[in-house]
Amino acid sequence: MNNREYGNRNEMELTFDALSANEGFARVAVAAFTADLNPTLEEISDVKTAVSEAVTNCIIHGYEGKPGKIQIRCVLERDLLHIEIEDKGTGIADVEKAMEPLFTTRPELDRSGMGFSFMEAFMDDLEVESTPGEGTIVRMKKKLGCEPFIEQEE
Amino acid sequence: MSYPLFACGGQAAETASAGSFPDNREEEVMEDRFQMIGQYLMIRMPEEVDHHQAVILSEKADRYILKEKVDHIVFDFEDTRFMDSSGIGIIMGRYRKIACFGGQVYAIHADSRIQRIIGISGLKKVLHIIEEDGHEQ
Ligand SMILES: Nc1ncnc2c1ncn2[C@@H]1O[C@H](COP(=O)(O)OP(=O)(O)O)[C@@H](O)[C@H]1O
Ligand SMILES: [Mg+2]
């Protein structure tokens, strides 16, 4: 079975606790979800890095190490992967500033301030929606698979 | 510049990769990842370098920096298959602790993916990337 049977669309949702032990699980789950498209190793690494950055931010900055839930929604539309990663944590007052390379509010935790830069570098598109006191949604897109889309035979 | 200590098959590479350990027994396993060779602290980086691993690893590394005579640090990426910006934070944070005494940081066995991540972060300004032949990139 593959996503082409559903009109070239495939969706999944994941909700999990904001624990650092779940960072590995989250990036592997999203990578596995794309397997049907035969992404290249490079593309898999790109997606894993971007997911890891966004999920880590929810844990460290969104919930500041306190309990909370992280939600991931993924949609595959043909060869285009959409990822949404959401927390209901502190939110970001100045998104533009937060997205600058090397900007971090937690240097004492050895954060490098490169998270958003990596998401931007490894994905085709990045959007951040955030409301202080309510939470943050990171939306990313990436086209997967170098080969042109071919309809599969029965 | 040449660094014979880091040349492939040299003493450092041999001892640093001795034995293989599953990554889930975090605490005990982490101890085996650290080794002093002269004034160099060798750190065999885990398979997955993310925030979860970074917290444990940085804490252990800082204990070595306090206890032992650590002049320089060598990060060995032989086992590493994944790294995000937390890895950049580990290296930058440790470099800050030894830089005031003239300490240097080195990376060995970094594959093209890890080198790309190091490149984007601008870390190349301070991190010496040593190639398999023992020469600096
Ligand atoms: N989910 C989030 N909730 C609240 N603040 C966030 C979130 N994600 C990012 N930020 C803010 O944006 C800054 C930059 O993030 P990033 O580029 O990943 O760097 P780093 O995580 O190393 O600080 C963070 O220091 C933090 O202040
Ligand atoms: Mg981050």
Side-chain angles (χ1 to χ4, degrees):
Chain A
M1 212 149 80
N2 61 47
N3 66 321
R4 281 132 215 169
E5 292 169 37
Y6 296 91
N8 301 320
R9 202 185 147 87
N10 188 8
E11 255 186 74
M12 74 103 158
E13 270 187 44
L14 269 179
T15 305
F16 54 93
D17 283 315
L19 298 169
S20 70
N22 284 334
E23 290 159 8
F25 156 73
R27 61 180 176 259
V28 169
V30 174
F33 176 69
T34 68
D36 186 46
L37 286 175
N38 290 320
T40 63
L41 286 178
E42 183 79 13
E43 288 168 340
I44 295 173
S45 293
D46 290 351
V47 168
K48 277 179 158 179
T49 307
V51 170
S52 196
E53 296 296 350
V55 169
T56 301
N57 281 352
C58 300
I59 296 168
I60 300 179
H61 307 299
Y63 293 117
E64 300 172 308
K66 294 189 277 276
K69 300 279 182 202
I70 298 170
Q71 201 175 23
I72 299 186
R73 285 177 293 276
C74 289
V75 179
L76 275 174
E77 268 179 333
R78 283 188 179 253
D79 54 355
L80 185 65
L81 170 68
H82 302 252
I83 308 173
E84 259 186 39
I85 300 180
E86 177 171 7
D87 68 66
K88 305 257 183 237
T90 57
I92 305 170
D94 186 343
V95 171
E96 212 177 304
K97 181 102 203 138
M99 290 176 77
E100 283 173 17
L102 302 175
F103 177 84
T104 180
T105 48
R106 305 304 297 270
E108 79 283 7
L109 294 182
D110 271 345
R111 301 317 302 167
S112 61
M114 290 304 295
F116 282 128
S117 303
F118 281 9
M119 291 181 237
E120 232 157 15
F122 295 129
M123 302 295 282
D124 297 339
D125 192 58
L126 169 68
E127 263 174 49
V128 181
E129 185 187 320
S130 191
T131 313
E134 282 179 27
T136 303
I137 306 177
V138 169
R139 293 191 183 88
M140 300 182 280
K141 278 184 220 168
K142 190 177 179 70
K143 205 169 160 304
L144 299 176
C146 296
E147 275 115 291
F149 185 83
I150 301 159
E151 287 293 335
Q152 284 217 325
E153 291 167 46
E154 275 305 296
Chain B
M1 260 209 282
S2 176
Y3 299 88
L5 176 65
F6 310 138
C8 205
Q11 187 205 2
E14 290 284 310
T15 43
S17 58
S20 72
F21 306 93
D23 255 352
N24 44 9
R25 295 178 298 127
E26 284 158 8
E27 277 297 318
E28 314 102 88
V29 171
M30 201 53 89
E31 199 63 58
D32 299 317
R33 298 193 168 277
F34 292 80
Q35 192 187 7
M36 289 299 299
I37 297 181
Q39 318 284 80
Y40 287 77
L41 172 62
M42 313 285 299
I43 307 178
R44 195 154 59 87
M45 299 295 272
E47 199 172 319
E48 311 245 305
V49 182
D50 61 4
H51 157 246
H52 183 62
Q53 293 286 335
V55 176
I56 311 162
L57 198 130
S58 296
E59 191 195 292
K60 276 261 149 66
D62 289 348
R63 242 181 275 165
Y64 268 86
I65 294 170
L66 274 179
K67 274 195 336 221
E68 314 276 338
K69 271 196 67 62
V70 175
D71 286 345
H72 310 292
I73 303 177
V74 180
F75 297 91
D76 183 349
F77 290 99
E78 171 120 63
D79 300 337
T80 305
R81 297 290 159 264
F82 175 85
M83 182 165 101
D84 65 18
S85 72
S86 307
I88 303 302
I90 298 175
I91 299 171
M92 277 193 346
R94 307 297 74 68
Y95 175 70
R96 278 195 211 106
K97 298 203 178 214
I98 60 167
C100 41
F101 308 108
Q104 301 280 317
V105 281
Y106 302 88
I108 58 172
H109 299 122
D111 66 19
S112 60
R113 173 88 197 168
I114 291 167
Q115 293 200 22
R116 188 168 161 220
I117 282 179
I118 289 168
I120 296 172
S121 71
L123 202 59
K124 268 192 184 160
K125 269 178 246 155
V126 296
L127 182 67
H128 304 273
I129 298 172
I130 309 300
E131 300 286 358
E132 298 296 284
D133 61 5
H135 284 76
E136 183 168 348
Q137 199 189 43

